[in-house]
Amino acid sequence: MSVDCTGQRSEVRRINTAPCAPQSVVSQLLDCQTGDVQISWQSSKGAQIYYAQAKSTDKTLVCNSTSTFCTIPGLGCGQTYNITVVAEANSCSSKTSEISQVTAGTVTFEQTE
């Protein structure tokens, strides 16, 4: 006697993980007078929007973009800012990108994890 205990298949559910952290973050100071900095990065698979942040010891400035770059205005001359980018999709955020640093008047890059 053979008994088949296989039931019906369940409904297929699709899940999405968070996007990967943005890579190759580059900061370029556009104008020391206005303190505008352009931030660019490589796209992350599945990302719908990106949030870039410039953070100094006393100020945090942000921009968002559906592309792979954005501009943050108003950095103070002579101040150093840590630049990071996060990708988001379906309310899930990626890990933070590696840190890039920018100082008004000069641009330096330092990778940390």
Side-chain angles (χ1 to χ4, degrees):
M1 185 182 223
S2 163
V3 177
D4 186 2
C5 294
T6 305
Q8 292 182 342
R9 291 183 182 227
S10 67
E11 185 179 317
V12 175
R13 300 257 181 199
R14 184 177 181 179
I15 59 170
N16 293 313
T17 59
C20 295
Q23 300 292 313
S24 302
V25 176
V26 175
S27 310
Q28 179 181 0
L29 189 66
L30 299 176
D31 185 342
C32 185
Q33 297 298 318
T34 61
D36 295 352
V37 64
Q38 182 171 326
I39 303 163
S40 61
W41 54 88
Q42 289 182 347
S43 64
S44 298
K45 187 176 181 179
Q48 296 170 329
I49 192 166
Y50 299 92
Y51 297 94
Q53 174 178 286
K55 186 173 185 175
S56 70
T57 55
D58 63 342
K59 187 190 262 188
T60 300
L61 302 167
V62 296
C63 64
N64 60 51
S65 176
T66 56
S67 185
T68 56
F69 65 91
C70 65
T71 301
I72 296 179
L75 273 65
C77 280
Q79 292 187 17
T80 299
Y81 290 81
N82 288 333
I83 308 293
T84 56
V85 182
V86 173
E88 187 178 287
N90 302 316
S91 300
C92 290
S93 296
S94 71
K95 291 184 178 181
T96 302
S97 69
E98 292 181 343
I99 295 172
S100 165
Q101 286 190 335
V102 64
T103 302
T106 60
V107 178
T108 57
F109 300 102
E110 177 181 297
Q111 294 184 350
T112 60
E113 291 194 39

